[in-house]
Amino acid sequence: MIECEVMICGFGPVGQLLALLLTDLGVKVIAVDEADDVYSLPRAAVIDDEVLRIFQSVGLDAAALANAQAQKSVSFVTNRGKKLEVLRPAQGDLGHPPLVSIHQPSMERTMVAAVAERGQADVRWGTRVETVDRAADHVDAYVRSTAGGKTTRIRSRYLVACDGGRSFVRRSLQIPFGGSTFAQRWLVLDGLLDKPLAKVPHPHFFGDVNRPTVSLPMSSGRHRWEWMLHPGEDAAEFEQPARIRELAAPYITDEEVEFERAVVYTFHVRRAESWRAGRVLLAGDSAHLTPPFAGQGFSSGARDAQNLAWKLEAVLRGAPQQLLESYEVERRPHVTSMQNLAVRWGGIVQTSNPTVGKIRDGVLGALNSTGVLALIREQVKPLPTYGQGFFATRPAKLPFNRSVGALFPQAERIDEMLGNRWSVVADSPAIARAWRERGVTSIVSPVDSWLRSNDCEWALLRPDKFVFATGAADDISATATNLEKLVGA
Ligand SMILES: Cc1cc2nc3c(=O)[nH]c(=O)nc-3n(C[C@H](O)[C@H](O)[C@H](O)COP(=O)(O)OP(=O)(O)OC[C@H]3O[C@@H](n4cnc5c(N)ncnc54)[C@H](O)[C@@H]3O)c2cc1C
């Protein structure tokens, strides 16, 4: 039998990120994956600034960006060919570009290499989890090499299932995976290019009712196209080289591109009924599946990993197990809202009824000409703010008063000064000192607008940079005592 503190079943991108976050907190991790290596074909094509900030927390934002392209705009092209700018992600408050095209296998390799470099996690490729046995104070997972051989028992204090949409762990625990599957199917085509496409330089959604289409750059030198199939159309026929060339012809010539793969996908909107069964937790696609229209599948899984990592470490070091209940309480509503965003946008793009398409284009045109589109296109994806969860007081009333429960903004890479544990941003050296005397990392905020607009002298941040409490000098002592009681921090 082998033992560890946290076992990660599934070493895809969510498992990889979780392994990095946990090992950086000193947690003993074993991660297994039935595959022999990173999945070589891209699925996720974009990530957001929250994910880059999480990468920053494990020292990988520069590496992730080195192989990425920031997107400044997203366009929608109406059925009649009129181009509207529907998204201009504002350079947000998180210190990173809000929308970035990536190449998922490269991003995964960066994480896998970082895990190996740290040398803190025991990673076993080609190893399948075959049985999970839960006990009151541990979890036993029985694993076997995919090449055959004998079974090994891995005993952990907690097991996190990061084993994807078909999650073996979720199924073996008989946790229902409710939701729906889109009736529409999409052909996803990835190509290697000599140079980025000049015609469609940033993500474009084509509302052609005869064939809704998406065109988006991935990391440098790569491009993706997606075409919606109509009911009755044969998926296999669409994956044929001749058909692919015909579809791609308006965008690119054969000489300019080498097609990497063409696969017809069906998209799902699903959430596991429960994301925790005792000491087993679900994260990423094993907990929820989101259609790709808003680029939020992996991004949501990355947020799960960050939300879970510090809570698991705290519980392993003596904090009450109830802390883990806040994981689903916080993450489920946020995942649901990202799924709703993807479904709404998917509905707009997938319109194939000409009358509905005409109404859609009319509404979008009116929003554009009256200036409303300009107002909303920078605010399509709100900053994560948890309405309930593990906070000192009830999160502030949403959405206008974002204080407790909100993700703290990042100016001047303050996260690097704050570190990966509890920390305080203060409005004066005296307040920062008072917190430091209580053993909490504390800095004077380089910009005081957040503290001023929230009428406080300090903000106490959780390790994931969500605001746990705010207050004035007089509140420091009581808050620090409370924190000690709650998490032993
Ligand atoms: C076409 C498409 C486009 C997408 N676009 C985007 C996008 O733009 N942005 C975005 O954020 N997301 C996007 N996504 C979603 C994103 O790719 C997924 O959300 C993400 O890959 C999920 O990561 P994961 O680690 O949870 O699961 P996975 O990547 O599925 O990894 C699960 C791992 O578990 C392993 N495993 C399974 N069973 C076992 C077992 N019994 N024992 C051991 N190992 C096991 C598997 O081998 C696999 O490596 C897209 C998805 C698709 C299909």
Side-chain angles (χ1 to χ4, degrees):
M1 182 176 77
I2 314 164
E3 292 188 72
C4 64
E5 290 179 308
V6 175
M7 170 159 177
I8 299 175
C9 171
F11 204 52
V14 175
Q16 295 154 12
L17 190 51
L18 182 63
L20 285 166
L21 290 158
L22 284 170
T23 50
D24 282 358
L25 290 168
V27 174
K28 195 166 172 258
V29 168
I30 296 179
V32 303
D33 199 294
E34 64 183 5
D36 293 325
D37 197 358
V38 161
Y39 185 57
S40 63
L41 294 175
R43 287 166 291 160
V46 295
I47 56 171
D48 62 22
D49 47 355
E50 289 167 59
V51 177
L52 283 165
R53 192 174 180 183
I54 301 171
F55 280 149
Q56 182 190 349
S57 74
V58 292
L60 293 184
D61 57 315
L65 278 168
N67 204 10
Q69 281 187 68
Q71 301 298 339
K72 293 192 166 53
S73 181
V74 175
S75 294
F76 179 82
V77 181
T78 67
N79 189 38
R80 289 184 157 195
K82 186 171 162 40
K83 188 149 109 175
L84 305 170
E85 189 182 32
V86 285
L87 186 65
R88 189 190 299 150
Q91 180 64 37
D93 298 328
L94 302 184
H96 293 285
L99 185 68
V100 162
S101 299
I102 51 136
H103 178 239
Q104 183 171 345
S106 308
M107 180 188 80
E108 291 192 34
R109 281 186 211 293
T110 301
M111 286 195 277
V112 169
V115 172
E117 216 167 85
R118 282 157 162 84
Q120 300 296 319
D122 175 351
V123 177
R124 297 166 184 231
W125 293 101
T127 304
R128 180 176 294 132
V129 174
E130 294 186 335
T131 310
V132 174
D133 271 351
R134 292 182 299 127
D137 62 352
H138 66 261
V139 184
D140 281 338
Y142 294 86
V143 306
R144 194 201 303 260
S145 162
T146 47
K150 65 177 179 40
T151 298
T152 304
R153 174 161 51 153
I154 301 179
R155 176 163 292 182
S156 57
R157 302 273 304 281
Y158 292 92
L159 182 146
V160 186
C162 300
D163 52 348
R166 293 197 184 93
S167 172
F168 163 77
V169 176
R170 186 191 66 234
R171 283 182 286 123
S172 76
L173 295 176
Q174 299 186 327
I175 298 175
F177 200 34
S180 58
T181 295
F182 273 35
Q184 297 86 345
R185 296 158 301 154
W186 282 79
L187 172 69
V188 175
L189 173 69
D190 292 336
L192 293 164
L193 313 177
D194 287 330
K195 48 182 178 290
L197 280 180
K199 248 188 191 172
V200 275
H202 56 263
H204 279 60
F205 291 85
F206 294 90
D208 171 1
V209 293
N210 294 316
R211 181 74 69 203
T213 303
V214 183
S215 162
L216 73 157
M218 293 202 284
S219 60
S220 317
R222 284 192 153 86
H223 201 89
R224 170 170 290 174
W225 295 267
E226 299 170 2
W227 291 275
M228 194 182 95
L229 270 59
H230 293 290
E233 285 183 327
D234 179 12
E237 191 256 312
F238 272 78
E239 291 167 355
Q240 296 305 315
R243 191 77 170 100
I244 288 164
R245 275 201 296 275
E246 187 189 314
L247 286 163
Y251 304 94
I252 199 153
T253 63
D254 251 13
E255 292 71 44
E256 292 170 308
V257 65
E258 182 191 323
F259 293 120
E260 218 178 2
R261 65 90 178 256
V263 180
V264 172
Y265 278 96
T266 308
F267 300 130
H268 311 271
V269 194
R270 295 189 180 275
R271 290 185 295 277
E273 198 168 283
S274 166
W275 297 7
R276 177 175 168 219
R279 289 173 174 267
V280 177
L281 296 117
L282 310 182
D285 277 17
S286 78
H288 43 78
L289 284 175
T290 302
F293 299 105
Q296 285 296 317
F298 165 65
S299 296
S300 293
R303 289 187 277 259
D304 294 349
Q306 191 198 32
N307 191 290
L308 253 186
W310 68 270
K311 292 176 181 174
L312 281 168
E313 191 253 354
V315 168
L316 285 164
R317 307 290 171 251
Q321 268 212 53
Q322 289 91 299
L323 177 58
L324 293 176
E325 281 164 21
S326 67
Y327 163 59
E328 184 176 342
V329 167
E330 292 171 5
R331 293 291 311 130
R332 180 184 282 275
H334 191 263
V335 164
T336 306
S337 66
M338 290 299 107
Q339 289 178 323
N340 291 342
L341 177 69
V343 169
R344 272 198 301 273
W345 185 237
I348 290 173
V349 175
Q350 296 189 124
T351 305
S352 56
N353 177 315
T355 313
V356 178
K358 208 169 172 182
I359 297 168
R360 171 201 65 191
D361 292 349
V363 171
L364 282 171
L367 290 175
N368 191 42
S369 56
T370 54
V372 177
L373 200 56
L375 284 178
I376 55 178
R377 68 183 162 215
E378 293 189 3
Q379 307 296 338
V380 172
K381 187 181 139 287
L383 270 186
T385 309
Y386 293 134
Q388 51 181 326
F390 185 70
F391 299 102
T393 52
R394 248 188 97 74
K397 205 161 168 269
L398 303 177
F400 299 112
N401 185 3
R402 293 169 183 274
S403 56
V404 170
L407 183 58
F408 195 78
Q410 177 178 221
E412 299 177 26
R413 292 183 78 87
I414 55 167
D415 290 5
E416 271 138 43
M417 293 179 267
L418 297 171
N420 60 357
R421 296 185 181 275
W422 289 81
S423 59
V424 162
V425 181
D427 74 348
S428 70
I431 298 272
R433 202 173 325 109
W435 272 105
R436 272 199 295 276
E437 280 162 9
R438 284 165 176 82
V440 180
T441 301
S442 182
I443 62 161
V444 177
S445 176
V447 282
D448 60 0
S449 52
W450 194 95
L451 296 174
R452 217 177 332 110
S453 64
N454 285 286
D455 199 21
C456 57
E457 292 170 34
W458 52 263
L460 173 60
L461 311 187
R462 311 189 317 183
D464 55 8
K465 308 292 177 281
F466 279 81
V467 179
F468 178 77
T470 57
D474 292 351
D475 308 314
I476 295 175
S477 176
T479 310
T481 309
N482 189 26
L483 182 63
E484 171 96 47
K485 232 183 326 171
L486 285 169
V487 289

